[in-house]
Amino acid sequence: APRAESLVVAVDVGRTLGEEGAKEVLRIARSIVTHKVLYGGKNDSVCVVLFGAASTRNALHDEMASDGQPDQYVNILVLKDLSKVGSEDLEALAGEEALLWGGTSDHLDVLTVAFDVLCKDPLKSAKRIVVISDFMGPIKEVDGDFVGAVVAGIQEKACAVELVSLAPITESSPHPPETRDLVLHLVDTVASLECASDAKDYASLRGVKHPVSVAVKHGLAIGSFEVPVGVYKKVSKASMSTNLKVSNFYKDERGDVWSVKRETEFRRRDDPDGSVVTDKAKAFPYGKDLIPVDEAVTGYLAKAEEKSLRVLGFHERGEFPQHRFLGSSYALLADPKSKGAQLAVSALVRACEDEDQVMVARRIARGGADPSLCALVPRVGGEGIPDHFVMCTLPFREDIREYPFASLNASEKWVPSEEELGLAGRIIGEMSLAGEDGDLSAEQLVPERMANPSILNMNGFIAEKLAGAPNGNLQQATRSNYLKTLSGPAEEILARAGPHLERLAELMHVQKKEEGEAGGVKQEAKEERVKEEKD
């Protein structure tokens, strides 16, 4: 079973952040906690801490105050003590105490408080601390011996530390020198560092579920020998119905718990009010009909083949365009426990890449399944990624759809002019999603680094319900940020490409449809084009 995790989320709400910065770090914290509530293990525990708060409540401060040092670990507020994760964590972040902003506190102090909370945790679990801040607040003079002791303690407990900054932190960044040096020292020793500004909406990404695929063992048969490999689905569409944890129990308003079961009754289609049908018969689906079959027919239709993956040969990569692939893509990797398999797969991948070839294989996914043909496209690995194949299902003749249309060269009016070609080229350039000078690392729209908006909004709705009080900040930035990007081009892109688009529309006789206008404009434009072609 997965090991339980004890997590401390430390959120900076100090005076250097301002209102917008404080809202953003709280959004990130809510996403992390929401992820734990919806997807975390049943024995996971969470503690929520504010630092830079206008109030103080933590065990270390109380201990130091009793020893005559009341000025230690101040402005650090434990919103919710370490306990099993639940709606109480979201309620704490939505409560009035979460708005006690504007104090000053030390990043090293809050790390110490968070580590102290985990050290007092009796549960044998994985330990993790997440510190979310702009790291712009100055800290007191750092005691090297004290920092060394804290780092050593974190290493001894194998505690993971994540630092989340609103802006990049480097040796030349405009952060206070003491704070910057502390952060870089922690990154060199015990912590990881992420920058929220690197993603379109970092807070939403922290709430995304990361399903782990299980590799299905196969034997890749090539002639007379077989290579042990693993195959797993690389991309699979997530949905709300399968994305959340499922409970088979329901608690009513009085707190009574009832088991939830589903019962299905069958009635005749031509007599829906008649008695329930209890007799069942096997049937074979044929289109929209069900054809009853007996045992003899069932045996004839059954597939007797066992699971297999057999290479049939090699073909030029260009003969398999991506639009011909069916369904999901799979990754095929060598068995990590077999050095010979790794060498064999690596040799095949690199040879296919050099020769611009793909392997064609016949696959039986499981015993009794229908056979399919697959294209194994080579992918040479990189840092931390082994050489592997991407396996895509190929279509049979029945799977291909054709759409007949007239040749684009049938009429001179259908051949674009030099001006139209030039405008199209400028539109492509102005609407490029890459960064300046084609920098792909600065690409503005990266789907795999964006949360699914439907699942995101549903999770936000559930989080607000669990918190007991609507919080407009939970989804506000998301709606105004990358969800706007999904609904249309960015304003700066339209501003650059707008004149070219308008000129191209004029040349193509496309009329702009005004808001609230009926579909008659499209019909008029169509009739005008038809008339011109007849003329």
Side-chain angles (χ1 to χ4, degrees):
R3 188 181 181 188
E5 182 184 60
S6 297
L7 169 67
V8 178
V9 182
V11 189
D12 186 1
V13 291
R15 61 185 60 174
T16 62
L17 283 155
E19 183 176 355
E20 292 303 318
K23 288 180 179 180
E24 182 61 20
V25 296
L26 283 171
R27 281 190 69 242
I28 297 173
R30 289 190 191 99
S31 291
I32 294 172
V33 173
T34 299
H35 182 275
K36 271 293 180 188
V37 172
L38 298 181
Y39 309 127
K42 62 181 181 180
N43 293 320
D44 288 356
S45 301
V46 171
C47 171
V48 181
V49 179
L50 297 186
F51 65 102
S55 181
T56 302
R57 184 174 65 237
N58 65 82
L60 271 184
H61 170 75
D62 295 341
E63 293 172 11
M64 298 299 289
S66 63
D67 290 340
Q69 301 182 61
D71 59 340
Q72 296 295 313
Y73 305 108
V74 295
N75 299 123
I76 299 176
L77 176 64
V78 177
L79 279 181
K80 188 249 183 188
D81 292 322
L82 186 67
S83 59
K84 187 173 292 187
V85 63
S87 59
E88 298 82 6
D89 301 277
L90 293 170
E91 291 174 4
L93 284 168
E96 294 183 359
E97 285 191 326
L99 300 177
L100 296 175
W101 307 342
T104 57
S105 56
D106 198 305
H107 294 88
L108 184 59
D109 282 353
V110 74
L111 183 61
T112 307
V113 169
F115 183 58
D116 178 68
V117 169
L118 294 177
C119 288
K120 295 173 180 176
D121 177 23
L123 183 66
K124 292 183 178 180
S125 59
K127 313 294 184 185
R128 182 161 62 107
I129 300 171
V130 180
V131 180
I132 312 165
S133 173
D134 64 349
F135 293 97
M136 294 300 294
I139 62 176
K140 58 191 175 185
E141 185 177 353
V142 177
D143 184 334
D145 293 338
F146 181 70
V147 173
V150 173
V151 168
I154 291 174
Q155 291 173 331
E156 181 181 356
K157 290 286 186 180
C159 177
V161 179
E162 298 178 29
L163 306 179
V164 179
S165 174
L166 297 186
I169 300 179
T170 63
E171 293 182 354
S172 59
S173 60
H175 296 80
E178 297 84 0
T179 305
R180 182 181 62 227
D181 293 344
L182 174 64
V183 169
L184 296 178
H185 175 68
L186 292 174
V187 172
D188 288 338
T189 52
V190 294
S192 64
L193 176 63
E194 291 189 359
C195 177
S197 62
D198 288 345
K200 197 70 175 177
D201 190 6
Y202 179 82
S204 298
L205 288 180
R206 290 306 300 248
V208 171
K209 182 181 181 181
H210 298 282
V212 178
S213 293
V214 177
V216 178
K217 293 183 178 180
H218 267 284
L220 181 63
I222 308 177
S224 59
F225 77 98
E226 191 173 273
V227 180
V229 297
V231 176
Y232 75 93
K233 187 176 289 188
K234 184 63 177 175
V235 179
S236 180
K237 182 174 175 55
S239 62
M240 286 182 287
S241 59
T242 59
N243 210 41
L244 300 177
K245 294 187 292 186
V246 178
S247 173
N248 293 325
F249 299 93
Y250 167 72
K251 183 183 290 186
D252 62 19
E253 295 178 353
R254 296 183 300 177
D256 296 331
V257 178
W258 304 84
S259 61
V260 178
K261 297 181 180 179
R262 179 167 61 183
E263 295 183 355
T264 304
E265 291 183 348
F266 297 92
R267 300 178 186 272
R268 292 180 60 87
R269 181 180 298 176
D270 55 356
D271 187 18
D273 297 328
S275 59
V276 176
V277 177
T278 56
D279 296 334
K280 296 182 180 179
K282 290 186 177 180
F284 185 82
Y286 188 83
K288 295 182 179 180
D289 297 324
L290 294 175
I291 310 300
V293 294
D294 54 21
E295 292 185 2
V297 176
T298 302
Y300 173 77
L301 295 174
K303 310 294 188 304
E305 292 190 71
E306 297 297 326
K307 180 176 72 173
S308 64
L309 183 61
R310 186 178 302 115
V311 176
L312 302 180
F314 298 83
H315 214 299
E316 292 183 5
R317 188 192 299 233
E319 294 297 319
F320 296 108
Q322 291 187 358
H323 66 269
R324 287 288 181 92
F325 294 154
L326 287 175
S328 303
S329 60
Y330 297 79
L332 185 147
L333 303 97
D335 184 347
K337 297 180 181 179
S338 172
K339 184 176 180 180
Q342 295 175 37
L343 292 174
V345 170
S346 180
L348 287 168
V349 167
R350 292 175 181 268
C352 285
E353 184 69 25
D354 291 342
E355 300 294 331
D356 199 27
Q357 299 278 310
V358 299
M359 280 200 301
V360 180
R362 181 180 185 271
R363 183 190 184 207
I364 306 292
R366 59 185 179 278
D370 293 328
S372 61
L373 291 178
C374 302
L376 277 67
V377 183
R379 294 297 299 270
V380 176
E383 184 177 352
I385 301 176
D387 295 340
H388 62 282
F389 287 98
V390 175
M391 186 170 69
C392 303
T393 305
L394 295 172
F396 291 110
R397 184 63 189 89
E398 294 88 344
D399 302 321
I400 298 175
R401 302 291 183 267
E402 303 290 353
Y403 177 73
F405 58 91
S407 170
L408 296 180
N409 296 322
S411 170
E412 292 184 0
K413 294 182 179 179
W414 296 352
V415 178
S417 65
E418 291 296 328
E419 182 182 3
E420 290 169 338
L421 287 172
L423 286 169
R426 288 191 287 275
I427 290 170
I428 293 172
E430 298 295 358
M431 297 189 70
S432 172
L433 294 173
E436 295 183 3
D437 300 324
D439 181 11
L440 295 179
S441 63
E443 189 174 347
Q444 300 177 32
L445 183 62
V446 185
E448 60 268 27
R449 298 195 64 191
M450 300 172 68
N452 183 311
S454 298
I455 297 175
L456 176 68
N457 289 336
M458 176 56 73
N459 289 357
F461 168 76
I462 294 173
E464 289 188 355
K465 287 294 184 182
L466 291 175
N471 193 312
N473 297 328
L474 193 61
Q475 297 296 313
Q476 180 180 354
T478 299
R479 294 191 183 104
S480 62
N481 194 355
Y482 83 82
L483 288 182
K484 183 178 179 181
T485 302
L486 287 178
S487 63
E491 293 180 359
E492 57 270 22
I493 290 179
L494 283 178
R496 295 196 304 264
H500 308 307
L501 287 168
E502 291 181 3
R503 176 57 184 158
L504 187 61
E506 292 177 4
L507 294 174
M508 296 174 63
H509 306 289
V510 176
Q511 297 186 22
K512 183 178 179 181
K513 182 178 177 181
E514 301 294 336
E515 291 187 8
E517 197 171 301
V521 172
K522 288 186 177 179
Q523 183 64 28
E524 292 174 5
K526 181 179 179 181
E527 292 174 355
E528 183 179 342
R529 288 196 298 271
V530 171
K531 183 179 179 181
E532 288 181 356
E533 291 170 7
K534 288 181 179 180
D535 295 341

